[in-house]
Amino acid sequence: MKDWTLRLLRRLTMGPAMRVSFGLSSLVVALLLAADLGFGLLPDQAAQLRQQRARTAENVALQAAMLMELAPPRALDRLLHELLVRETSVLSAAVRRDDGSIVAQAGDHAAVWIAAAGGVDRIDNISVPLKMNGSEWGAVELGFQRIGTLGWGRWLHDPVLLLVALLGVGSFICFTLFLRRVLAHLDPSAVIPQRVRSAFDVFYGGVMIVDPSRRVMLANVALRTWMGSPPDEGLNGRAVETLTWFKQVLPADQKEHPWAKAMATGVAQEGCQLEFVLASGAPLRAVVNASPIMDGSRKVRGCLVTFENVTPLHDLNSQLVRSMALLEESKTEVEKKNSELQELATRDPLTGCLNRRSAFAKLDKLFLEARHSGQPLCCIMTDIDHFKLFNDRHGHAVGDQVLQAVTRSLGSALREVDLLCRYGGEEFLIILPGVDPVQACAVAERLRVDVQTRAGASIRSTSGLEVTSSFGVATLGPDITDPAQMIDQADQALYSAKKGGRNCVMTYSSKTAMPQSAPEALTGT
């Protein structure tokens, strides 16, 4: 049922010949009506109808005048009633005196009759005067059916309309038969043999041949299927840019179309990518190649256009790009996790300082570089004074806050190249590359002051905390062969600072192998 309906609709669709014939027949009818309007070639139906009704009224008036002279009054009534029966277009009839009185009537004359204004008869109300003895005695009045109520039958029998309809239909049929035969010879696709068409229909991709005017001479089955055009629909002879399927994707400038470029330059155009929309609504990505067709004299006679469907390949590439994006995202996530793991492996979770393992690994490298380059290297050991009292009096939570506050004070005064390590418990190790002992003592003193003035005040949960730290400074000497030896010397100096009253800076002297107090100007104690 569906196939039969489609075939019927295709047959009803007007082809080029029928469209041109319709236009020509419409032009013929329009010229006829214009000639009638200017010269009155066609008869006026209204005038003819009025004349016909006037003659009917005159005949009735003549008969009424004879009956009034020779017959009794009832004969006049019978005449009027017979008129209504004989003439269906007459709705009422009456004989009226000059004084307005009605002598005889038939039908509902009062409802039908409308007096003519100014004495001029209407086409549906006609009055004929009656004379007796040479003077007007009255009038015969006939009320006819209104023209607007005559129905479609009147129009169907109208000779003017019949003439116009016959001329329009006849010229349409004649023009169609003539143009079909003419267009069959002018069809640009007629130059392509049927065997060539069949060969192109075998191709999986789309194939189209256009002439120098960019009109379609051939479109194979694959291309027509993509366009949603049935095999028997006339694409041939139509300009490519007028086809909706192409118009949606082609540039507005017709010179930029691949086949136009190929025919203009005589050079094949390859690799032009266009994205069409199939009849089903799905996208179709095609690579368009256009090759000019030339004759023996190298004159362009047309263009062969091929459409290669690369939609599956494009979909695979898109899927690959998405997979690569997901892989890159996973790689970034892994790197982030590795960075977090590295952070956890090298940093103390409470203070964020380097842990001992990572600090010793970095110190070994700095130690070797200092030995090789001869640059100074100093080490500072610091310990929070009376740290156990913070945990005993205020709890371990406050003790953790004290550790974090001291870490902030120590880190804010160091360089990026310096190392800050939580050595253990409340002890911190600081490595200062490229810094001599005097500068190291100055740094230690500055850190001591920062801890004393800022660390306790930064703890908001417990007010009035007094936090101080003791510092021991050691430097890389010629007798030190291992980084642990330098750390041990700084630890000995820290021990001396603890014994010396805490909240002070002590340096290790290699000459006495015993810790010594830092200069008073540096310690501030």
Side-chain angles (χ1 to χ4, degrees), residues 337-351:
K337 294 296 182 183
N338 288 338
S339 177
E340 293 177 355
L341 291 175
Q342 183 70 16
E343 187 76 11
L344 293 175
T346 59
R347 297 283 176 177
D348 175 62
L350 178 62
T351 62

Side-chain angles (χ1 to χ4, degrees), residues 67 85 453 491:
L67 291 176
V85 174
T453 57
D491 193 52

Side-chain angles (χ1 to χ4, degrees), residues 288-363:
V288 182
N289 300 318
S291 301
I293 302 174
M294 300 183 180
D295 57 14
S297 59
R298 305 295 297 173
K299 184 177 180 180
V300 176
R301 294 298 184 180
C303 187
L304 174 64
V305 188
T306 61
F307 301 83
E308 182 181 358
N309 185 6
V310 295
T311 304
L313 180 60
H314 185 276
D315 293 341
L316 289 176
N317 289 338
S318 300
Q319 185 177 359
L320 180 59
V321 170
R322 289 194 296 269
S323 300
M324 293 295 293
L326 292 175
L327 183 60
E328 187 67 25
E329 184 178 349
S330 300
K331 179 183 176 182
T332 304
E333 188 67 22
V334 169
E335 291 177 351
K336 180 180 178 182
K337 294 296 182 183
N338 288 338
S339 177
E340 293 177 355
L341 291 175
Q342 183 70 16
E343 187 76 11
L344 293 175
T346 59
R347 297 283 176 177
D348 175 62
L350 178 62
T351 62
C353 300
L354 294 172
N355 56 27
R356 290 186 62 174
R357 183 179 63 81
S358 61
F360 271 87
K362 294 179 180 294
L363 178 58

